[in-house]
Structure formats: C-alpha cells, structure tokens
Amino acid sequence: MTDEIRNAYLLAAERAVELLATERVARCWGEDSVLSGMSVGGLAGHLARSILQVEWFLDGEVNGAQPVSPVHYYARLVGTTVPDSALNVGVRERSEETAAAGPALVAEQARTAWQRLVQRLGEEPADRHVAILHRPGEEMLLDGYLQTRCVELAVHLEDLALSVGEECQTPSATLALAVDVLVAAARDRHGDQAVLHALARRERDSNQAIRVL
C-alpha cells in the first residue's frame, strides 16, 4: 500500500506542477477563482502547499507521538463550509502568503520540491512519522499524511483548472484515494446510517452527511 499511496501522490503532484506553470495561471493570478474569497493566485498557492508542506513536515521534529489518522484529520474539522470560519480564514491567509512570491516563483518552488520528493519518498520507510506543524505536538504517518494531500490535490487541481479555463485531469489512483478518505471521514463524523441516507435516500439526508469539506 505504501507504494500505491506514494505513487498516487507523486502523479497528482506532477499534474499540479504542470498546471501551476501554465501561462493561464500566471495571467489570471490576481483574478477571482471559483472559490469565494480566494484569488487565482491564492488558490495556486494553496495547491502548491500540498507539495511544499510535505517537505516541511518531513523536516519537522518528531517524538514518536501516536499518529493521527487521515480519516480523523478530516473528520474533526469544523467550519469547513463557513467562509469566515477560523479554519477557512487561516487557509486563505497561508495561501496568500505563499502566493505573494508570484506565479513564476511559486511554480518553480513546487517543481523543485516535487523533484526532490520523487527521490525522497522512495527512501522513507513505511513507519516514518511527520510533524503536523500547524498542530504542535501532533504527528502522522507519512503515508497517512500523503493520503490527505491526495485529497487536497484532487479537489484543488479541479478548482484551479476551472478558474483559469485549463484542462487538467486528476489521476484515477489519486481520485480513488481521496474518495476513500473523505467517505471514511463522513462515516466517522456522522455515522453509517446518515451516510447511507446521503448516498441512497437524499430526502432523509438532513445533515449533508457526505459533505466533509
């Protein structure tokens, strides 16, 4: 499973690198994206961070804490659908901070980070922990964290492509991993009965149980 997860991540990260380097992304950098309150540049910065952060987290200090699962990583989130929630405000601020470097540098930073990760991920053991830097003291298994990055890449590759009118297909292996994680998070958050309603009896889906992000 380790190889499958890492290959799915690297394939999607490569697509992100290609999309970030397009002329359309650079030309639309200051325009609104399809996400309310986020510019194309901010969205590009957010997408790039799903590559850059893997290196940052790998280089963080770990102490052998019980790893957070990718399912719990998402199931515990609150305010995901509220534009001005602390979660979404923080995401936008960090994304715009990355985007401030400009389209050329963001694209180059993502490309060089991806190139290093192609080598590095092939050398890291299956039990490798990474530090969750925005949650001090928390850790995840590397493969678990890469599953969350597959979610982010799958979601935001499409967001950025739609924002600039570019064609970009997320690799099928990445999509499958992303769906597995998000459905499992929905089950953890709402329970199986609610998820069943969301999938098969929408008229009884009072909580939008399948919605995680």
Side-chain angles (χ1 to χ4, degrees):
M1 189 63 177
T2 289
D3 287 344
E4 293 176 15
I5 292 169
R6 296 183 187 187
N7 288 338
Y9 168 76
L10 288 170
L11 284 171
E14 182 178 17
R15 296 282 172 86
V17 166
E18 293 168 352
L19 180 59
L20 289 166
T22 61
E23 180 183 346
R24 287 186 180 181
V25 169
R27 188 170 64 245
C28 298
W29 198 256
E31 298 177 6
D32 291 338
S33 75
V34 297
L35 299 184
S36 178
M38 184 173 278
S39 67
V40 167
L43 179 53
H46 188 58
L47 183 65
R49 288 175 71 89
S50 282
I51 304 170
L52 303 174
Q53 281 185 181
V54 175
E55 282 198 310
W56 301 341
F57 284 21
L58 276 166
D59 292 337
E61 183 177 349
V62 294
N63 299 302
Q66 181 68 26
V68 175
S69 74
V71 171
H72 185 57
Y73 182 91
Y74 283 115
R76 68 182 175 181
L77 295 180
V78 295
T80 57
T81 62
V82 180
D84 292 328
S85 68
L87 173 69
N88 284 324
V89 169
V91 166
R92 289 196 298 270
E93 288 177 347
R94 292 189 295 273
S95 299
E96 292 292 349
E97 180 180 329
T98 299
L105 187 54
V106 169
E108 178 61 18
Q109 288 172 338
R111 183 185 68 83
T112 56
W114 171 74
Q115 289 175 329
R116 289 189 294 266
L117 286 169
V118 169
Q119 175 71 28
R120 189 169 184 179
L121 293 183
E123 299 170 349
E124 295 288 354
D127 62 352
R128 174 67 149 89
H129 283 216
V130 297
I132 308 304
L133 299 180
H134 57 281
R135 291 182 177 270
E138 287 195 4
E139 299 175 13
M140 295 183 75
L141 289 173
L142 171 59
D143 289 342
Y145 184 63
L146 293 178
Q147 288 179 70
T148 71
R149 296 311 89 190
C150 284
V151 171
E152 298 297 324
L153 287 166
V155 171
H156 296 304
L157 273 168
E158 181 180 57
D159 288 337
L160 185 57
L162 288 172
S163 295
V164 300
E166 192 73 52
E167 292 289 332
C168 184
Q169 183 65 44
T170 303
S172 58
T174 314
L175 286 171
L177 272 175
V179 169
D180 285 347
V181 170
L182 290 176
V183 170
R187 294 176 67 188
D188 184 89
R189 183 184 291 176
H190 296 290
D192 284 350
Q193 188 69 63
V195 171
L196 179 67
H197 288 163
L199 292 168
R201 292 293 182 268
R202 294 295 298 277
E203 67 276 11
R204 301 175 200 162
D205 179 25
S206 58
N207 297 320
Q208 290 191 303
I210 206 69
R211 178 75 184 264
V212 175
L213 297 176

